[in-house]
Amino acid sequence: MIFFRAPFYLLFSLLFLSTYANAHVSSPSQASLFILSDNEYMLELQLDIVHLLQQETGLENNDKTLIPALKKLPLPALMKALYASKNRLQQQTVIKFNQEVFPLVSLQAPSLQQVKQILANPPGTSGYQLTFTGYGDMPDDSAEVNVSFPEILGDVSLALARPYQTFVLAGKTSETITLNQQMSFSGELAAKITTFIDYTVQGVLHIIPKGLDHILFVLALFLLATKMSTLLWQVSAFTLAHTITLGLGIFGVVNLPATIVEPLIALSIAYVAVENIFALQLKKWRILVIFAFGLLHGLGFASVLLELGLAPGQYVLSLIAFNLGVELGQLAVILLAFACVWWWQSKHWYRQRIVQPLSLVIAVTGVYWFVERIV
């Protein structure tokens, strides 16, 4: 009976992923640092207030229960959670000028009325961001600055008033940002390398673990491919397509609202999985179908990258790095799936006991997401 174990574990993982998809997914944290006159700086933080309040209250991280529970919190409890969040942000945000710490002297939280208003948004809405504004002092001879944020915020997109934009990975300190206009060749090279690495990491993260719909689509492609060559053809068509629309979407040539793109992505997952259940072998026209679905997924990636922002002056580098990260994430999914089932792929019962049951789970999940995203 040992041959049932790997399929069982993979099936369990897929069910877990589809359940996890209901958890509250935070919008990317945004930070803007403004260098003011009179040796003062201002920091604006646009943060997912639902995520912050969930951390302070300990409520379940699921939109269907979390947001109604937050709405029902008594005003004193809501105020306590809000100001606990404010104090955490003020104490754990570290700003260094010339490698010397200049803490936030003050931090203004959004009002309770603003919090109550934004909690009135229906579950599943992405617009839960509110702004915290802080001030502090800085030396008059400032030449460089670094910023680190509380790890609870996750990855933060940091913009400087010049403007300059970079990522601050969760729990890490940002790269050193030169405040004067001159940058040496070595400084430019270091900035490009950092940008390439950061955006590659973001590309991987938006497949594993954040891109659950893309993971299931790639798994659906994998399940019906009995030969590596056929899988490579499918993945290549998918990659080419989403690379095209990722670029077009980023530069504003093609722009479809998420309310259209996201349900269609879910429907593409269901379609490929259903085809796996009934098709005995790959049809030649499947490549065209996958290419068309890849165009949809590319628009989904573009919306993610637009939220994160592209590094000024390094748009093409950022785009290439993010796309590379996406490909690395897809490759990791394929390798993991292959490691789970390679021993059974040559068995006569492989299709009946592995391909069809797992495809059914993926199809049901895709249909569920489609309904959820259009309601």
Side-chain angles (χ1 to χ4, degrees), residues 31-101:
S32 298
L33 179 64
F34 299 91
I35 307 301
L36 307 178
S37 57
D38 300 323
N39 300 331
E40 189 179 29
Y41 69 85
M42 179 177 73
L43 182 69
E44 285 189 353
L45 297 169
Q46 289 186 323
L47 309 175
D48 188 310
I49 194 67
V50 171
H51 176 68
L52 284 181
L53 295 177
Q54 185 268 330
Q55 295 293 323
E56 296 297 340
T57 58
L59 295 170
E60 184 182 359
N61 188 24
N62 185 304
D63 275 4
K64 292 182 179 178
T65 56
L66 170 60
I67 296 176
L70 287 174
K71 288 181 183 178
K72 294 177 182 178
L73 274 181
L75 281 180
L78 188 61
M79 180 181 293
K80 181 180 178 181
L82 177 62
Y83 283 95
S85 299
K86 181 191 84 79
N87 291 335
R88 181 201 293 259
L89 291 173
Q90 185 169 352
Q91 293 166 8
Q92 296 183 11
T93 299
V94 178
I95 302 179
K96 293 182 180 179
F97 292 95
N98 299 342
Q99 301 303 314
E100 182 181 353
V101 176

Side-chain angles (χ1 to χ4, degrees), residues 157-326:
S157 179
L158 172 65
L160 194 62
R162 273 193 294 165
Y164 179 90
Q165 187 164 306
T166 186
F167 281 111
V168 184
L169 298 179
K172 303 296 182 182
T173 299
S174 74
E175 64 182 76
T176 298
I177 304 170
T178 303
L179 297 182
N180 56 41
Q181 297 299 317
Q182 300 297 321
M183 182 177 287
S184 65
F185 173 78
S186 60
E188 290 181 354
L189 180 61
K192 288 180 179 180
I193 292 173
T194 301
T195 296
F196 188 84
I197 293 173
D198 288 346
Y199 279 85
T200 300
V201 169
Q202 289 301 315
V204 173
L205 291 177
H206 281 83
I207 294 294
I208 304 172
K210 298 178 181 179
L212 300 180
D213 45 3
H214 302 295
I215 289 174
L216 291 193
F217 187 83
V218 171
L219 285 176
L221 298 184
F222 169 81
L223 285 172
L224 196 58
T226 55
K227 297 179 181 179
M228 184 58 68
S229 59
T230 55
L231 178 61
L232 289 176
W233 274 110
Q234 291 182 81
V235 173
S236 297
F238 181 64
T239 298
L240 176 61
H242 76 62
T243 300
I244 291 172
T245 45
L246 174 58
L248 294 177
I250 285 297
F251 292 107
V253 179
V254 177
N255 186 18
L256 290 178
T259 52
I260 295 177
V261 173
E262 293 302 321
L264 290 178
I265 287 176
L267 200 60
S268 72
I269 296 167
Y271 177 89
V272 174
V274 168
E275 188 180 11
N276 287 355
I277 296 172
F278 296 102
L280 297 177
Q281 61 183 2
L282 286 173
K283 305 294 184 181
K284 292 182 179 179
W285 47 262
R286 182 174 166 111
I287 297 294
L288 297 176
V289 173
I290 291 171
F291 183 85
F293 289 154
L295 296 175
L296 283 173
H297 285 248
L299 292 174
F301 291 135
S303 66
V304 168
L305 192 50
L306 284 171
E307 283 187 339
L308 294 174
L310 292 172
Q314 300 181 29
Y315 291 165
V316 175
L317 181 65
S318 305
L319 182 59
I320 292 173
F322 183 82
N323 201 49
L324 175 62
V326 168

Side-chain angles (χ1 to χ4, degrees), residues 297-367:
H297 285 248
L299 292 174
F301 291 135
S303 66
V304 168
L305 192 50
L306 284 171
E307 283 187 339
L308 294 174
L310 292 172
Q314 300 181 29
Y315 291 165
V316 175
L317 181 65
S318 305
L319 182 59
I320 292 173
F322 183 82
N323 201 49
L324 175 62
V326 168
E327 300 316 311
L328 292 175
Q330 291 178 173
L331 180 60
V333 171
I334 291 172
L335 291 176
L336 181 60
F338 181 74
C340 288
V341 302
W342 71 273
W343 183 260
W344 296 276
Q345 282 186 319
S346 60
K347 306 296 183 182
H348 68 277
W349 42 258
Y350 173 70
R351 172 176 168 76
Q352 182 180 4
R353 296 181 181 176
I354 296 180
V355 174
Q356 290 180 321
L358 293 185
S359 294
L360 179 60
V361 173
I362 295 173
V364 170
T365 304
V367 171

